[in-house]
Amino acid sequence: MHKWHKIISIIIFLIVVLLTYIFKIHIDEQLTSDLLTVVSIMLGFTLTSISTLIGQDFTKKLRNEIDTNTDRKQTQLQTLSVYYKVSFLLGIIIIISLVSIRFLPSCSLLKKIYDSIVLGCNADNFYISYLLIKILIRSLREVK
């Protein structure tokens, strides 16, 4: 991932975790259901956008260009694959977390912290999905 995207992602995560904890926002059964639906849709988008990019000239172009915005010497296609991996892993982590959240006592400190972390991960997942949508739109503009 690009350095500034990592920094923004960490800042978003910390802000959401702090705000969630300060304002005592908790994840109840309805919110769990809604979040599971949203994350499932986002995972579907991720998989669909990968299939949309496969075989396009845009992808071939990314394979041949070095990404100068990363610490490693890698192509832009390799960088893009990192964004997809992060998005997919965040989605899976969120789903597992939302399913396991039911086993925590509803008024414990651990549950409050857990809720804050899960909502922070959701915020990061939205941010990574936003970045992927930008890339997908850019690829669609370049299709001839």
Side-chain angles (χ1 to χ4, degrees):
M1 284 180 64
H2 294 154
K3 186 176 183 175
W4 64 88
H5 290 158
K6 289 179 188 178
I7 292 169
I8 292 171
S9 182
I10 290 168
I11 290 170
I12 289 171
F13 177 80
L14 292 175
I15 288 172
V16 170
V17 166
L18 287 173
L19 289 175
T20 302
Y21 190 79
I22 290 169
F23 292 114
K24 298 176 180 154
I25 299 170
H26 66 281
I27 299 176
D28 59 5
E29 286 186 32
Q30 181 62 43
L31 185 56
T32 299
S33 175
D34 294 345
L35 288 174
L36 281 170
T37 302
V38 169
V39 171
S40 298
I41 291 169
M42 291 171 76
L43 277 174
F45 157 76
T46 302
L47 294 174
T48 303
S49 64
I50 289 172
S51 66
T52 302
L53 289 173
I54 291 176
Q56 283 191 13
D57 291 335
F58 177 75
T59 309
K60 294 172 188 168
K61 177 182 163 189
L62 293 179
R63 184 183 324 137
N64 296 324
E65 293 181 13
I66 299 295
D67 191 351
T68 57
N69 295 318
T70 59
D71 298 334
R72 300 177 181 162
K73 289 283 185 187
Q74 63 187 20
T75 65
Q76 290 182 353
L77 186 60
Q78 290 170 320
T79 303
L80 179 61
S81 70
V82 170
Y83 283 91
Y84 276 107
K85 286 177 190 175
V86 169
S87 177
F88 185 74
L89 286 174
L90 267 175
I92 297 300
I93 288 168
I94 292 166
I95 289 172
I96 292 169
S97 299
L98 288 170
V99 170
S100 65
I101 210 165
R102 302 181 112 190
F103 300 108
L104 294 173
S106 62
C107 55
S108 69
L109 178 63
L110 180 62
K111 170 91 165 65
K112 292 176 186 175
I113 293 170
Y114 198 78
D115 288 350
S116 298
I117 291 171
V118 169
L119 290 173
C121 287
N122 270 294
D124 272 349
N125 200 19
F126 278 111
Y127 177 65
I128 299 297
S129 293
Y130 163 74
L131 295 174
L132 289 172
I133 288 170
K134 280 179 45 177
I135 293 168
L136 185 62
I137 289 171
R138 190 175 109 204
S139 76
L140 294 174
R141 285 187 189 149
E142 294 186 16
V143 172
K144 296 178 181 177

